[in-house]
Amino acid sequence: MPPTHSLITKTQPLNLSIPSDPPTHGLANPLPQTATTTAKMPLKHPNHPDPPVPTPIPTPLPFPLRFYSPTSPTPDDRGRTLSTILCWPPSRLESSHDYIQNLFPLPERSPYNPSAPLIDEYTFYTFRTSEELQSQLRRSLACMARFYGFDYVVRGGDGIAEVMITFEPQPQPDFEAATRNWLTTPFSHNHLRITRIIRCCRLLGLEAEAEAFHDAITKAAQHPQFARSRMYWRRAAERPLYLAPEDEEDEEDEEKWTGFLYRFEEARDECRSGVESEGEDGDG
């Protein structure tokens, strides 16, 4: 029988709608607050730029939506569901290389798995407006964070109080054992996975989680041999969403500068400008 705990530790009640189908490996006790990396979950402004989901509804639904469905999940082309993958032991998460694109899809085609699912406009807006889908994605993030040596901890959240998200290093010797997968070789496949995880979480609405995960990973990988990886992680965490980490900023790609991610960033900038203007008017 698998244990009944969740991969996400909640120190106070928080309605994250986490499905009760957890991986089989457990949580360690969190370290003190001084050892954590924290990001604040932003409260949504009434003028949040997320527009309604585009219509018409595609048939069939894009694979990421079916794979992450909390009620009727679709397995991947090898018969594996989300819950199946999240129950894998660390050894299988390390040795298998064709699941990470299903857990963390991107809008860019993978050179290593060209048939991997992609984030299209419908998937993008559906995830960003669905707490149920985002809760499913949090399960994947918590699983991979633990694989890399971090516990995903949520504090606060009584409906009004600010929510704090942290990725806390596991106690020794667990942390050292987990980091052997990615802190021993510069620019390994796990470093590419981390870049993908950060970018995917930002794209699909887990921006506070992406920020906290990026900070925790970066603090652990301060050795100069990881400078190139840190550059890509920073790009994934900070760039406008229409720019992939591997893109050059002056690259001429008409699709990127006119696509749905560019339009989203434009709308978000307008929203932020509107909020700032309201604040200035209120101070007067």
Side-chain angles (χ1 to χ4, degrees), residues 235-252:
R235 288 180 174 186
E238 298 177 358
R239 279 185 158 188
L241 295 179
Y242 57 83
L243 281 176
E246 64 273 15
D247 288 344
E248 297 301 327
E249 292 197 50
D250 58 354
E251 186 176 293
E252 294 187 6

Side-chain angles (χ1 to χ4, degrees), residues 42-284:
L43 297 176
K44 288 195 174 183
H45 188 273
N47 294 326
H48 193 273
D50 288 349
V53 174
T55 54
I57 298 175
T59 305
L61 284 175
F63 178 76
L65 300 179
R66 291 181 284 121
F67 182 75
Y68 268 106
S69 169
T71 55
S72 54
T74 297
D76 64 13
D77 58 2
R78 299 188 62 183
R80 305 170 300 193
T81 64
L82 173 64
S83 293
T84 297
I85 295 172
L86 297 187
C87 286
W88 285 356
S91 58
R92 187 164 182 185
L93 292 173
E94 170 60 22
S95 62
S96 299
H97 299 283
D98 60 352
Y99 70 91
I100 198 72
Q101 297 90 354
N102 293 330
L103 262 55
F104 300 97
L106 296 177
E108 300 82 31
R109 196 165 298 282
S110 168
Y112 306 102
N113 186 359
S115 63
L118 302 177
I119 296 175
D120 61 7
E121 185 172 10
Y122 188 86
T123 300
F124 176 75
Y125 284 117
T126 302
F127 255 95
R128 292 185 73 91
T129 54
S130 170
E131 179 59 33
E132 290 79 12
L133 289 171
Q134 290 179 17
S135 292
Q136 291 282 76
L137 183 60
R138 287 187 184 99
R139 296 174 66 204
S140 295
L141 175 59
C143 175
M144 293 307 296
R146 179 159 184 80
F147 173 71
Y148 292 124
F150 299 90
D151 290 330
Y152 179 167
V153 178
V154 180
R155 292 182 172 84
D158 57 6
I160 299 175
E162 195 169 51
V163 176
M164 306 298 290
I165 298 169
T166 65
F167 288 89
E168 304 182 355
Q170 297 164 3
Q172 298 292 6
D174 296 344
F175 182 72
E176 182 180 357
T179 57
R180 293 193 192 111
N181 290 323
W182 64 284
L183 276 183
T184 56
T185 305
F187 212 68
S188 68
H189 67 281
N190 275 308
H191 292 203
L192 296 175
R193 289 176 173 182
I194 290 168
T195 304
R196 170 179 284 272
I197 292 169
I198 295 169
R199 176 157 171 73
C200 175
C201 288
R202 284 188 68 209
L203 283 161
L204 299 185
L206 303 189
E207 298 187 73
E209 289 89 339
E211 178 187 347
F213 182 62
H214 167 252
D215 288 348
I217 288 289
T218 299
K219 286 181 179 179
Q222 283 299 303
H223 192 281
Q225 69 175 331
F226 303 123
R228 185 184 178 198
S229 294
R230 289 197 306 272
M231 176 190 72
Y232 284 106
W233 299 338
R234 184 177 64 254
R235 288 180 174 186
E238 298 177 358
R239 279 185 158 188
L241 295 179
Y242 57 83
L243 281 176
E246 64 273 15
D247 288 344
E248 297 301 327
E249 292 197 50
D250 58 354
E251 186 176 293
E252 294 187 6
D253 187 336
E254 184 176 348
E255 184 176 347
K256 288 185 182 298
W257 298 97
T258 59
F260 69 91
L261 292 176
Y262 184 80
R263 294 193 300 271
F264 170 80
E265 290 286 14
E266 279 192 318
R268 178 151 61 176
D269 288 343
E270 291 175 6
C271 177
R272 288 169 176 165
S273 297
V275 172
E276 291 173 2
S277 297
E278 290 174 13
E280 291 171 1
D281 293 341
D283 293 337

